[in-house]
């Protein structure tokens, strides 16, 4: 399996990037969106458990709840939210006042209900956010973003800003069609060409690979050969996940021996073994800048 990251995704060279790279040493920040066309395919559970698995493996992880309308990372982690990303957007709170600490030192940037548009943030708010994020340079080496489902502007914002995109689908035809629709918008309107597919909720690898082949076939036919959709693997259907959700704990924490938990651990390893092509995503401020000033939206 070949790595995914595109240097050109970062919008060309940047002096800021060069400086931050030399300050941060050889470990660049990775920003990974976990996204889907169809809702309810398992994104939030994947973000929480993959984040926890990465933290167990020694990484400094920030989870961003990018589902600004239907936030629920905090619920899945059993965290009490006092302030949210909206308080940062509206200049009421600093990032450090809003960030929560989850298990194994996970940092979580929670959202809340209501659908603010990232596009509506004005200049001073954007600058405030960028400055706030500067404090965390070096304290985070991977950002996982739960984007919410669909092709709304906020979903697209996070997917454009992320250096890597994990598209989640299950074996339902609608989930495959909707994954295709999302990929198509990101390719045709925003020039994204590389995606990784993670299949969730299937019973065996053959089923997952069949989902991958179906999506790949349509994507190749309609989007051209230069679009890369890589197969990242699958998380099995596992009743331990809804059981853990009911208890507001990650399945990996509550049932570490469950098949899904083992799959999350293996997935975290695989993601880290696959070094992004070009090797860099930039620093956290750079990520936020791409988020707040995307092209073509
Ligand atoms: N591998 C799995 N096996 C069994 N149940 C699962 C699995 N993955 C997710 N689920 C269940 O599916 C439901 C939806 O999961 P989740 O909330 O993570 O999806 P989502 O993609 O974030 O949804 P939304 O688009 O609404 O944000 C949850 O009730 C969860 O318990
Ligand atoms: Mg969700």
């Amino acid at each position: 399996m070949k790595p995914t990251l595109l240097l050109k995704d970062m919008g060309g060279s940047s002096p800021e990037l060069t400086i931050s790279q030399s300050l941060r040493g050889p470990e660049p920040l990775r920003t990974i969106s976990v996204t889907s066309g169809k809702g309810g395919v398992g994104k939030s559970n994947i973000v929480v458990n993959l984040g926890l698995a990465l933290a167990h493996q020694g990484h400094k992880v920030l989870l961003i709840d990018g589902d600004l309308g239907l936030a629920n990372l905090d619920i899945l982690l059993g965290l009490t939210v006092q302030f949210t990303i909206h308080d940062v957007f509206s200049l009421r709170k600093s990032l450090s006042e809003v960030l929560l600490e989850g298990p194994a030192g996970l940092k979580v940037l929670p959202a809340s209900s209501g659908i603010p548009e990232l596009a509506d943030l004005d200049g001073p708010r954007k600058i405030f956010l960028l400055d706030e994020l500067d404090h965390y340079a070096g304290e985070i080496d991977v950002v996982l973003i739960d984007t919410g489902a669909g092709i709304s502007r906020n979903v697209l914002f996070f997917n454009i800003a992320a250096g890597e995109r994990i598209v989640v689908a299950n074996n339902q035809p609608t989930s495959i069609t909707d994954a295709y629709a999302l990929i198509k918008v990101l390719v045709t309107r925003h020039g994204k060409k590389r995606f990784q597919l993670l299949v969730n909720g299937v019973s065996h690898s053959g089923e997952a690979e069949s989902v991958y082949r179906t999506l790949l076939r349509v994507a190749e036919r309609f989007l051209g050969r230069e679009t890369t959709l890589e197969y990242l693997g699958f998380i099995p259907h596992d009743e331990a996940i809804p059981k853990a959700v009911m208890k507001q704990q990650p399945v990996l924490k509550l049932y570490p021996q469950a098949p899904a938990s083992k799959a999350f651990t293996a997935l975290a390893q695989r993601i880290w073994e696959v070094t992004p092509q070009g090797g860099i995503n930039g620093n956290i401020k750079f990520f936020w800048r791409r988020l707040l000033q995307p092209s073509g939206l």
Side-chain angles (χ1 to χ4, degrees), residues 37 68 77 92 115-116 176-177 180 215 221 224 231 237 246 274:
L68 302 180
L77 284 160
R92 284 192 294 265
I115 310 182
I176 301 173
T177 324
Y180 168 73
L215 188 53
R221 178 141 33 109
Y231 178 59
H237 179 87
M246 290 304 287
V274 179

Side-chain angles (χ1 to χ4, degrees), residues 64-69 73 85 109 111 118 145-148 154-155 158:
I64 295 182
D65 198 336
D67 197 348
L68 302 180
L73 287 189
I85 195 169
L109 181 52
L118 289 171
I145 309 134
D146 180 359
T147 69
N154 280 344
V155 171
F158 282 110

Side-chain angles (χ1 to χ4, degrees), residues 222-239:
F222 292 102
L223 301 174
R225 296 226 162 253
E226 72 279 11
T227 306
T228 311
L229 178 66
E230 290 163 2
Y231 178 59
L232 193 56
F234 74 100
I235 307 296
H237 179 87
D238 187 342
E239 285 306 315

Side-chain angles (χ1 to χ4, degrees), residues 38-45 67 149 200-201 235-238 241-242 245:
K38 187 174 161 59
V41 296
K43 295 175 299 298
S44 300
N45 276 280
D67 197 348
N200 186 32
I235 307 296
H237 179 87
D238 187 342
I241 292 189
V245 169

Side-chain angles (χ1 to χ4, degrees), residues 172-251:
Q172 291 177 10
T174 45
S175 121
I176 301 173
T177 324
D178 293 356
Y180 168 73
L182 172 64
I183 293 172
K184 186 176 180 183
V185 173
L186 287 166
V187 170
T188 55
R189 295 207 210 135
H190 305 288
K192 299 297 169 190
K193 290 196 166 41
R194 289 185 171 225
F195 302 85
Q196 293 189 306
L197 180 73
L198 178 65
V199 182
N200 186 32
V202 290
S203 51
H204 55 82
S205 62
E207 208 179 333
E209 283 158 21
S210 147
V211 170
Y212 172 63
R213 275 196 302 276
T214 306
L215 188 53
L216 189 63
R217 223 172 13 245
V218 230
E220 276 180 346
R221 178 141 33 109
F222 292 102
L223 301 174
R225 296 226 162 253
E226 72 279 11
T227 306
T228 311
L229 178 66
E230 290 163 2
Y231 178 59
L232 193 56
F234 74 100
I235 307 296
H237 179 87
D238 187 342
E239 285 306 315
I241 292 189
K243 267 167 77 181
V245 169
M246 290 304 287
K247 295 186 176 159
Q248 292 187 248
Q249 293 293 327
V251 69

Side-chain angles (χ1 to χ4, degrees), residues 99-142:
L99 281 183
L100 299 172
E101 179 132 342
L106 274 180
K107 288 186 172 60
V108 184
L109 181 52
S112 61
S113 43
I115 310 182
E117 281 274 1
L118 289 171
D120 294 338
L121 296 179
D122 60 20
R125 283 173 167 76
K126 288 178 180 172
I127 289 165
F128 177 68
L129 266 175
L130 292 172
D131 285 344
E132 286 290 289
L133 283 156
D134 241 8
H135 301 306
Y136 290 90
E139 281 186 45
I140 295 164
D141 55 38
V142 57

